[in-house]
Amino acid sequence: MADATFPAQLQYTVEHEWLDGSDPAVVGITSTAAEALGDIVYLELPAVGDDITAGTVIGEIESTKSVSELYSPVTGTVVAVNDAAVDDPSLVNSDPFGEGWLLKVDVSEVGPVLTAEEYQAQVGA
Amino acid sequence: MTTSVETPDDAATTEPRHTPLHDEHVALGATLTEFGGWLMPLRYASDLAEHRAVRSAAGLFDLSHMGEIRLRGPEAGTALDVALVGWLSQVQPGRARYSMITNEFGEVIDDLVVYRLADDDFMVVANASNAPVVARELVSRAAPFDVEVTDESEATALIAVQGPLAEQIVTGLAAGDADKVRALRYYASVPATVAGVEALVARTGYTGEDGFELFVPADHAVALWRSLLGTGAEDGLVPAGLSARDSLRLEAGMPLYGHELDLTTTPYDAGLGRVVRLDKTTDDGAVLDFVGRAALASRRASEPARVLVGLGAAGRRAAREGDHVVVRGHVPQIVVGTVTSGAPSPTLGHAIAMAYVTPEVSAVGSELAVDVRGREEPMEVVELPFYRRPEKA
């Protein structure tokens, strides 16, 4: 991951989630998180209509070796879930910032976030 | 996200050691992890692809972190009969046996594979993290006998080729020794030259597939590794890391020291009482007193407090080590056991686990649940192994 680069237009959390600035906001996990897990085989995500709170656990991401909890970077209401990624979690490994997105959220409040540069510094990439 | 990686579960505080194949792993882009005091490949690219390659074609593993302890001398067999729970002096030269070394309380210090190479020559293969203590115990337990105990771990590299195409790949490099290798039975070994390297070739493994383990001098490891990788690639052989090794052995229902076995378990707890030979005798027919015998004899005669079982789930949400096994749907929770290993099974497509549970709930078909991070997942006791390889056509 020494040459990892993180899309500059996204915001990041210390728990390795990203969100974009659109409305509704798209949420996913970073390439660093996906890489650390290994091949992802199972996603458990909140349902459309669920109210979620920034900083709380809203799902789980499993590989054969590990399991990670997904923390919500925002407070708001889930308006879409990436069913394609639920069906084929390898999308999160192959394209974590694109096809492997997880949720779309109608945001009422954004939690603590980092810029791409700050996140990059944190993960030491 | 917070990530909990199940292994490595190693407490070494010193710099991890490198195997003779370390530079190969780095060149192949492996993700490395500390395990048992060694820096080992966790995966090269995709742990799932590595797992599937072993089930469908072949995988290449560096197992040079394992310990090899040699016992040579006229009383080598007798010394092992006293030191281990098995009856090793009965093993024929050229054959191997799965065994264990316990303390005087019958608690497992390590599980081992013991190869009898000749009448007076045995090789004990120990887990990496336990190799030093096993070597020390063998030296001390063998002291009264006419046998020389040597820890050859440093000088020995171990490379495994596992999978349905393993025989084809290894014999393809064995030239004049191909027939010897092909004729090997499961849990047998033979000296053979593979890719020009003199190896001890054993038909053993830890994946549930057919396969070979090749013990070679450390300074020949790179040459053998490269030959196997070069030749095997066209058959679909890929290098495979510890992540795949763990998911493969779990599907095969094989215990991993530090998970299913440790100093709080006896072989009987783990359902491996068959390796304990309370019936072994000396040459003159007297009962042979081995380390742990009295405790194990009494343990065998009593009802076990817990037994190791396999658990299968309908879904992929996996129980992990340390999760509690509970009575399904009961409020408040009634804990009946603890998970020792668990993962979503790549081959079966659903979550599997091994767990110690109380005997009352241990029957196959018993409908239990596991408290997985605060939410119950229904699980059922199933037969081990979870996966059995198809019969050879």
Side-chain angles (χ1 to χ4, degrees):
Chain A
M1 293 306 294
D3 54 354
T5 53
F6 303 106
Q9 75 279 13
L10 301 179
Q11 296 178 301
Y12 299 86
T13 72
V14 294
E15 305 284 1
H16 309 289
E17 289 85 18
W18 57 263
L19 73 153
D20 71 3
S22 56
D23 182 21
V26 182
V27 172
I29 64 167
T30 68
S31 51
T32 300
E35 174 78 8
L37 276 161
D39 290 330
I40 295 164
V41 296
Y42 177 65
L43 295 176
E44 186 170 272
L45 301 176
V48 171
D50 282 1
D51 291 325
I52 58 177
T53 304
T56 63
V57 174
I58 55 168
E60 292 176 342
I61 302 167
E62 290 206 42
S63 64
T64 54
K65 204 74 196 132
S66 318
V67 58
S68 289
E69 291 178 319
L70 176 68
Y71 287 83
S72 181
V74 296
T75 298
T77 305
V78 177
V79 296
V81 170
N82 186 356
D83 291 327
V86 171
D87 289 343
D88 179 11
S90 72
L91 288 176
V92 182
N93 289 108
S94 59
D95 192 9
F97 297 113
E99 295 287 309
W101 65 275
L102 300 178
L103 305 171
K104 291 182 182 171
V105 185
D106 189 0
V107 177
S108 60
E109 192 181 343
V110 176
V113 289
L114 308 171
T115 65
E117 203 175 326
E118 289 164 342
Y119 179 70
Q120 184 130 359
Q122 178 190 295
V123 300
Chain B
M1 306 203 325
T2 47
T3 300
S4 62
V5 177
E6 286 201 3
T7 53
D9 49 1
D10 167 65
T13 49
T14 50
E15 279 293 294
R17 300 166 69 186
H18 292 180
T19 78
L21 294 166
H22 176 76
D23 291 347
E24 302 299 301
H25 305 321
V26 171
L28 288 163
T31 300
L32 299 168
T33 188
E34 190 173 341
F35 181 76
W38 296 78
L39 195 60
M40 299 299 294
L42 178 65
R43 67 180 99 84
Y44 294 85
S46 157
D47 38 53
L48 273 181
E50 291 162 24
H51 181 112
R52 289 182 178 133
V54 173
R55 292 276 179 254
S56 63
L60 185 65
F61 297 84
D62 177 14
L63 307 179
S64 301
H65 59 314
M66 306 286 283
E68 293 85 12
I69 301 136
R70 200 76 170 256
L71 288 89
R72 291 188 188 86
E75 292 188 303
T78 312
L80 285 171
D81 285 349
V82 169
L84 309 183
V85 300
W87 200 347
L88 287 309
S89 63
Q90 300 292 299
V91 175
Q92 296 300 309
R95 301 306 303 270
R97 186 75 46 89
Y98 177 70
S99 194
M100 295 188 194
I101 182 168
T102 74
N103 60 21
E104 61 180 302
F105 307 110
E107 297 155 342
V108 181
I109 293 172
D110 201 8
D111 63 336
L112 313 160
V113 177
V114 183
Y115 298 84
R116 188 170 204 169
L117 308 178
D119 278 333
D120 56 356
D121 188 0
F122 291 77
M123 181 174 68
V124 175
V125 177
N127 285 297
S129 55
N130 295 327
V133 63
V134 171
R136 273 200 303 279
E137 283 296 326
L138 287 176
V139 166
S140 132
R141 295 179 190 192
F145 301 100
D146 186 1
V147 56
E148 190 185 348
V149 181
T150 322
D151 186 346
E152 299 186 342
S153 305
E154 188 73 36
T156 308
L158 175 55
I159 295 172
V161 185
Q162 298 280 305
L165 299 186
E167 183 184 280
Q168 181 179 319
I169 292 162
V170 175
T171 56
L173 286 168
D177 286 341
D179 288 343
K180 276 203 293 191
V181 172
R182 194 175 294 111
L184 272 180
R185 288 191 286 166
Y186 189 51
Y187 266 70
S189 70
V190 68
T193 302
V194 180
V197 176
E198 284 177 33
L200 178 73
V201 179
R203 198 161 210 149
T204 46
Y206 193 53
T207 60
E209 297 300 329
D210 184 23
F212 299 89
E213 295 181 311
L214 291 82
F215 298 86
V216 295
D219 53 0
H220 290 106
V222 169
L224 179 59
W225 174 270
R226 288 182 179 173
S227 294
L228 287 165
L229 208 50
T231 303
E234 63 199 54
D235 290 319
L237 172 136
V238 300
L242 290 180
S243 180
R245 184 166 161 83
D246 194 36
S247 51
L248 289 159
R249 71 91 196 169
L250 177 59
E251 287 184 344
M254 294 171 164
L256 174 60
Y257 195 87
H259 298 259
E260 287 71 37
L261 296 170
D262 59 28
L263 279 170
T264 73
T265 54
T266 72
Y268 295 107
D269 300 322
L272 294 165
R274 63 183 164 79
V275 308
V276 182
R277 294 297 298 269
L278 296 170
D279 61 331
K280 61 183 160 179
T281 56
T282 60
D283 286 345
D284 52 13
V287 170
L288 190 146
D289 190 23
F290 60 91
V291 179
R293 187 183 193 283
L296 288 166
S298 118
R299 174 65 187 74
R300 184 197 188 192
S302 62
E303 175 76 7
R306 54 184 190 155
V307 291
L308 188 67
V309 297
L311 297 174
R316 276 187 287 183
R317 190 166 182 264
R320 302 284 175 168
E321 182 181 11
D323 288 349
H324 283 155
V325 183
V326 299
V327 174
R328 192 183 292 184
H330 198 281
V331 183
Q333 256 181 9
I334 300 172
V335 175
V336 293
T338 306
V339 172
T340 51
S341 298
S345 161
T347 307
L348 303 174
H350 62 75
I352 57 174
M354 289 198 276
Y356 278 108
V357 300
T358 57
E360 309 83 71
V361 300
S362 65
V364 168
S366 182
E367 295 183 343
L368 303 171
V370 177
D371 182 344
V372 180
R373 297 176 294 282
R375 204 176 78 226
E376 278 188 19
E377 290 296 324
M379 303 240 177
E380 186 175 317
V381 177
V382 297
E383 296 271 9
L384 290 173
F386 301 102
Y387 165 86
R388 211 183 286 273
R389 69 174 177 267
E391 293 288 327
K392 227 175 177 177

